[in-house]
Amino acid sequence: MKFDESVYEYLKTVPRGAVVTYGMVARAIGRPRAARQVGNALHRNPYPVVVPCHRVVNREGRLAPAFAFGGWEAQAALLRAEGVEAADGYVDLEKYLFRG
């Protein structure tokens, strides 16, 4: 579970109102080819309030159709509550991508 914990710790640094991609998370934790594993770790997230997995989208800004906590509609609602526009299952990466 060390991989999963690395994912969770990184996501705690992503601020409200911003998103990152699966690939960005993988690179940030030193596993650049593990974007799919990042998704699997998020699906197993045992800390849904503490670890903001709803802030992760695909490289095109698409929300997760299989978002573990209620599908992409639930993910969109969580993002909107933080000020991120999430229309038709997408987020504008030009506007909301975390560059920190």
Side-chain angles (χ1 to χ4, degrees), residues 55-100:
R55 295 180 188 152
V56 183
V57 298
N58 83 355
R59 66 179 181 219
E60 298 164 346
R62 186 168 60 96
L63 304 181
F67 181 64
F69 306 102
W72 73 265
E73 294 94 346
Q75 184 180 11
L78 290 167
L79 289 170
R80 280 191 215 102
E82 297 183 350
V84 175
E85 297 171 30
D88 299 320
Y90 284 86
V91 168
D92 181 351
L93 294 180
E94 291 290 320
K95 187 171 184 179
Y96 297 106
L97 191 65
F98 178 55
R99 302 182 198 286

Side-chain angles (χ1 to χ4, degrees), residues 13-33:
T13 71
V14 178
R16 291 175 57 87
V19 298
V20 292
T21 67
Y22 297 98
M24 288 173 67
V25 175
R27 286 188 298 277
I29 65 168
R31 299 283 302 277
R33 299 182 57 82

